[in-house]
Coordinates of all heavy atoms in Angstrom, one line a residue:
Q400 N -19.4 -34.1 -9.2 CA -20.7 -34.3 -8.7 C -20.8 -34.0 -7.2 O -19.8 -34.3 -6.4 CB -21.3 -35.7 -9.0 CG -21.6 -35.9 -10.4 CD -22.3 -37.3 -10.7 OE1 -21.9 -38.2 -10.0 NE2 -23.2 -37.3 -11.6
F439 N -37.2 23.1 32.7 CA -35.8 23.5 32.9 C -35.8 24.7 33.9 O -34.9 24.8 34.7 CB -35.2 23.9 31.6 CG -33.8 24.4 31.7 CD1 -32.8 23.5 32.1 CD2 -33.5 25.7 31.5 CE1 -31.5 24.0 32.2 CE2 -32.2 26.2 31.6 CZ -31.2 25.4 32.0
L500 N 3.3 13.3 3.3 CA 4.1 12.5 2.4 C 4.3 11.1 2.9 O 4.3 10.1 2.1 CB 5.5 13.2 2.2 CG 6.4 12.6 1.1 CD1 5.6 12.6 -0.3 CD2 7.7 13.4 1.0
Y569 N 16.5 9.8 -8.9 CA 16.8 9.2 -10.2 C 17.4 7.9 -10.2 O 17.6 7.2 -11.2 CB 17.6 10.1 -11.1 CG 16.8 11.3 -11.6 CD1 17.1 12.6 -11.1 CD2 15.8 11.2 -12.5 CE1 16.4 13.7 -11.5 CE2 15.1 12.3 -12.9 CZ 15.4 13.6 -12.4 OH 14.7 14.7 -12.8

Side-chain angles (χ1 to χ4, degrees):
Q400 290 186 324
F439 175 72
L500 190 58
Y569 288 108

